[in-house]
Amino acid sequence: MQKPGILIINGPNLNMLGVRQPEIYGNVSFETYLENLHATFAEVTLGYYQSNHEGDLIDCIQESTKSYRGIVINPGAYTHTSVAIRDALAGIQIPVIEVHLSNIYSREQFRRISLIKEVCVSSFVGFGLDGYKMAVERMMEFIRAGF
Ligand code: DQA
């Protein structure tokens, strides 16, 4: 049987993980962490896409349903500003889980609003990189349940 596909999408500045504000976001790059994820979830086809550009993220979301059963997304700062990314997520028929490394609800006021929260089936916030692992596990449960 074909392995289920889950797509991880990271938004702006998340290509700088490991270098960028390590006191908040840690000192491991996403590429390094992704190797662990691949090893942990051998039964899943994990895709990965990162962009610093809003339109590219939207294109990726729109295309995702052709190859994937679910999306795990950290839109970075677009979480707080992008109605367009929210609309793209609302417009697809596969489940979406939101991840943030930091606890956005205990940081600056402007980070406390997630425009995507309501179009996601679940959110993992403030668990650092482990949040992605938790999100993939949860997504597997959704997929097994027939979503
Ligand atoms: C972030 C939180 C956002 O506020 C910030 O702009 C990011 C990363 C997080 O993962 O904690 O780029 O999404």
Short mmCIF file of all heavy atoms in Angstrom, two decimals, residues 71-100:
data_model
loop_
_atom_site.label_atom_id
_atom_site.label_comp_id
_atom_site.label_asym_id
_atom_site.label_seq_id
_atom_site.Cartn_x
_atom_site.Cartn_y
_atom_site.Cartn_z
N ILE A 71 -1.49 18.71 5.89
CA ILE A 71 -0.45 19.75 5.93
C ILE A 71 -0.15 20.10 7.38
O ILE A 71 -1.06 20.28 8.19
CB ILE A 71 -0.92 21.04 5.21
CG1 ILE A 71 -0.99 20.82 3.71
CG2 ILE A 71 0.01 22.21 5.52
CD1 ILE A 71 -1.42 22.07 2.95
N VAL A 72 1.16 20.20 7.69
CA VAL A 72 1.63 20.77 8.95
C VAL A 72 2.30 22.08 8.59
O VAL A 72 3.25 22.09 7.79
CB VAL A 72 2.64 19.80 9.63
CG1 VAL A 72 3.32 20.47 10.81
CG2 VAL A 72 1.92 18.52 10.06
N ILE A 73 1.81 23.19 9.12
CA ILE A 73 2.32 24.48 8.67
C ILE A 73 2.70 25.41 9.81
O ILE A 73 1.98 25.51 10.81
CB ILE A 73 1.29 25.19 7.74
CG1 ILE A 73 1.89 26.47 7.13
CG2 ILE A 73 -0.03 25.49 8.46
CD1 ILE A 73 1.09 27.06 5.98
N ASN A 74 3.86 26.03 9.66
CA ASN A 74 4.26 27.14 10.51
C ASN A 74 4.45 28.34 9.57
O ASN A 74 5.49 28.46 8.92
CB ASN A 74 5.57 26.81 11.23
CG ASN A 74 6.01 27.95 12.14
OD1 ASN A 74 5.45 29.06 12.09
ND2 ASN A 74 7.02 27.71 12.94
N PRO A 75 3.46 29.22 9.48
CA PRO A 75 3.59 30.32 8.52
C PRO A 75 4.47 31.47 9.01
O PRO A 75 4.51 32.53 8.37
CB PRO A 75 2.15 30.81 8.33
CG PRO A 75 1.27 29.84 9.05
CD PRO A 75 2.13 29.18 10.09
N GLY A 76 5.19 31.29 10.14
CA GLY A 76 6.02 32.36 10.66
C GLY A 76 5.19 33.61 10.91
O GLY A 76 4.04 33.52 11.37
N ALA A 77 5.74 34.76 10.58
CA ALA A 77 5.05 36.02 10.84
C ALA A 77 3.74 36.15 10.06
O ALA A 77 2.84 36.90 10.48
CB ALA A 77 5.97 37.18 10.52
N TYR A 78 3.60 35.41 8.95
CA TYR A 78 2.34 35.48 8.19
C TYR A 78 1.15 34.95 8.99
O TYR A 78 0.00 35.23 8.66
CB TYR A 78 2.46 34.71 6.87
CG TYR A 78 3.28 35.40 5.82
CD1 TYR A 78 4.16 34.68 5.03
CD2 TYR A 78 3.16 36.77 5.58
CE1 TYR A 78 4.93 35.31 4.05
CE2 TYR A 78 3.92 37.40 4.61
CZ TYR A 78 4.79 36.66 3.85
OH TYR A 78 5.54 37.28 2.87
N THR A 79 1.45 34.17 10.04
CA THR A 79 0.39 33.69 10.94
C THR A 79 -0.49 34.85 11.42
O THR A 79 -1.70 34.72 11.56
CB THR A 79 1.04 33.07 12.21
OG1 THR A 79 1.97 32.08 11.79
CG2 THR A 79 0.00 32.49 13.14
N HIS A 80 0.18 35.97 11.66
CA HIS A 80 -0.49 37.10 12.31
C HIS A 80 -1.03 38.13 11.32
O HIS A 80 -1.71 39.06 11.71
CB HIS A 80 0.49 37.80 13.27
CG HIS A 80 1.37 36.84 14.01
ND1 HIS A 80 0.87 35.93 14.90
CD2 HIS A 80 2.72 36.63 13.98
CE1 HIS A 80 1.88 35.21 15.39
NE2 HIS A 80 3.01 35.61 14.83
N THR A 81 -0.69 37.95 10.04
CA THR A 81 -1.02 39.02 9.07
C THR A 81 -1.75 38.54 7.82
O THR A 81 -2.39 39.35 7.16
CB THR A 81 0.27 39.72 8.59
OG1 THR A 81 1.08 38.75 7.91
CG2 THR A 81 1.04 40.34 9.74
N SER A 82 -1.63 37.25 7.48
CA SER A 82 -2.03 36.87 6.12
C SER A 82 -3.43 36.26 6.02
O SER A 82 -3.62 35.04 6.24
CB SER A 82 -1.01 35.91 5.50
OG SER A 82 -1.43 35.55 4.21
N VAL A 83 -4.38 37.08 5.65
CA VAL A 83 -5.72 36.57 5.34
C VAL A 83 -5.63 35.66 4.12
O VAL A 83 -6.36 34.67 4.01
CB VAL A 83 -6.68 37.76 5.08
CG1 VAL A 83 -8.05 37.26 4.64
CG2 VAL A 83 -6.82 38.62 6.34
N ALA A 84 -4.71 35.97 3.21
CA ALA A 84 -4.59 35.19 1.97
C ALA A 84 -4.14 33.75 2.27
O ALA A 84 -4.65 32.80 1.65
CB ALA A 84 -3.61 35.87 1.02
N ILE A 85 -3.23 33.58 3.20
CA ILE A 85 -2.80 32.21 3.57
C ILE A 85 -3.94 31.50 4.29
O ILE A 85 -4.24 30.33 4.04
CB ILE A 85 -1.49 32.23 4.39
CG1 ILE A 85 -0.33 32.60 3.45
CG2 ILE A 85 -1.25 30.87 5.07
CD1 ILE A 85 1.02 32.70 4.10
N ARG A 86 -4.63 32.19 5.16
CA ARG A 86 -5.80 31.59 5.82
C ARG A 86 -6.82 31.13 4.76
O ARG A 86 -7.33 30.01 4.82
CB ARG A 86 -6.45 32.60 6.75
CG ARG A 86 -7.71 32.06 7.41
CD ARG A 86 -8.56 33.19 7.95
NE ARG A 86 -9.88 32.73 8.33
CZ ARG A 86 -10.31 32.59 9.58
NH1 ARG A 86 -9.53 32.91 10.57
NH2 ARG A 86 -11.53 32.18 9.82
N ASP A 87 -7.11 31.99 3.79
CA ASP A 87 -8.09 31.64 2.76
C ASP A 87 -7.63 30.42 1.96
O ASP A 87 -8.45 29.56 1.61
CB ASP A 87 -8.32 32.82 1.81
CG ASP A 87 -9.15 33.93 2.44
OD1 ASP A 87 -9.70 33.71 3.54
OD2 ASP A 87 -9.24 35.02 1.85
N ALA A 88 -6.33 30.37 1.66
CA ALA A 88 -5.80 29.21 0.90
C ALA A 88 -5.99 27.94 1.71
O ALA A 88 -6.42 26.90 1.18
CB ALA A 88 -4.31 29.42 0.58
N LEU A 89 -5.72 27.98 3.01
CA LEU A 89 -5.87 26.79 3.87
C LEU A 89 -7.34 26.40 4.00
O LEU A 89 -7.69 25.23 4.01
CB LEU A 89 -5.25 27.05 5.25
CG LEU A 89 -3.73 27.23 5.27
CD1 LEU A 89 -3.27 27.65 6.65
CD2 LEU A 89 -3.00 25.95 4.84
N ALA A 90 -8.19 27.43 4.10
CA ALA A 90 -9.63 27.16 4.22
C ALA A 90 -10.19 26.53 2.95
O ALA A 90 -11.21 25.83 2.98
CB ALA A 90 -10.38 28.46 4.53
N GLY A 91 -9.52 26.76 1.84
CA GLY A 91 -10.04 26.33 0.54
C GLY A 91 -9.63 24.94 0.12
O GLY A 91 -10.05 24.47 -0.94
N ILE A 92 -8.82 24.27 0.92
CA ILE A 92 -8.41 22.91 0.53
C ILE A 92 -9.13 21.88 1.39
O ILE A 92 -9.62 22.19 2.47
CB ILE A 92 -6.87 22.71 0.63
CG1 ILE A 92 -6.36 23.03 2.03
CG2 ILE A 92 -6.17 23.54 -0.43
CD1 ILE A 92 -4.91 22.67 2.24
N GLN A 93 -9.18 20.66 0.87
CA GLN A 93 -10.02 19.62 1.50
C GLN A 93 -9.22 18.63 2.33
O GLN A 93 -9.70 17.54 2.61
CB GLN A 93 -10.80 18.87 0.41
CG GLN A 93 -11.68 19.75 -0.46
CD GLN A 93 -12.67 20.57 0.35
OE1 GLN A 93 -13.24 20.10 1.33
NE2 GLN A 93 -12.84 21.84 -0.03
N ILE A 94 -7.99 18.98 2.71
CA ILE A 94 -7.22 18.08 3.57
C ILE A 94 -6.97 18.78 4.90
O ILE A 94 -6.96 20.03 4.95
CB ILE A 94 -5.87 17.65 2.90
CG1 ILE A 94 -5.03 18.87 2.52
CG2 ILE A 94 -6.12 16.74 1.71
CD1 ILE A 94 -3.63 18.51 2.00
N PRO A 95 -6.80 18.00 6.00
CA PRO A 95 -6.61 18.65 7.30
C PRO A 95 -5.28 19.40 7.41
O PRO A 95 -4.28 19.01 6.80
CB PRO A 95 -6.66 17.48 8.30
CG PRO A 95 -6.48 16.25 7.52
CD PRO A 95 -6.86 16.53 6.10
N VAL A 96 -5.32 20.46 8.20
CA VAL A 96 -4.14 21.31 8.40
C VAL A 96 -3.88 21.43 9.90
O VAL A 96 -4.81 21.64 10.68
CB VAL A 96 -4.39 22.73 7.83
CG1 VAL A 96 -3.15 23.61 8.04
CG2 VAL A 96 -4.77 22.68 6.36
N ILE A 97 -2.62 21.27 10.30
CA ILE A 97 -2.23 21.47 11.70
C ILE A 97 -1.20 22.60 11.76
O ILE A 97 -0.25 22.65 10.98
CB ILE A 97 -1.65 20.18 12.33
CG1 ILE A 97 -2.73 19.09 12.35
CG2 ILE A 97 -1.14 20.45 13.74
CD1 ILE A 97 -2.31 17.77 12.98
N GLU A 98 -1.41 23.50 12.72
CA GLU A 98 -0.54 24.67 12.91
C GLU A 98 0.55 24.35 13.93
O GLU A 98 0.26 23.72 14.95
CB GLU A 98 -1.44 25.80 13.44
CG GLU A 98 -0.71 27.06 13.82
CD GLU A 98 -1.68 28.08 14.48
OE1 GLU A 98 -2.74 27.68 15.01
OE2 GLU A 98 -1.34 29.27 14.45
N VAL A 99 1.75 24.79 13.64
CA VAL A 99 2.87 24.63 14.59
C VAL A 99 3.58 25.96 14.78
O VAL A 99 3.78 26.71 13.81
CB VAL A 99 3.91 23.59 14.07
CG1 VAL A 99 5.16 23.58 14.95
CG2 VAL A 99 3.33 22.20 14.01
N HIS A 100 3.92 26.28 16.03
CA HIS A 100 4.83 27.39 16.33
C HIS A 100 5.85 26.91 17.34
O HIS A 100 5.47 26.29 18.35
CB HIS A 100 4.09 28.61 16.87
CG HIS A 100 3.12 29.14 15.89
ND1 HIS A 100 3.51 29.83 14.77
CD2 HIS A 100 1.78 29.01 15.80
CE1 HIS A 100 2.44 30.12 14.06
NE2 HIS A 100 1.38 29.63 14.66
#
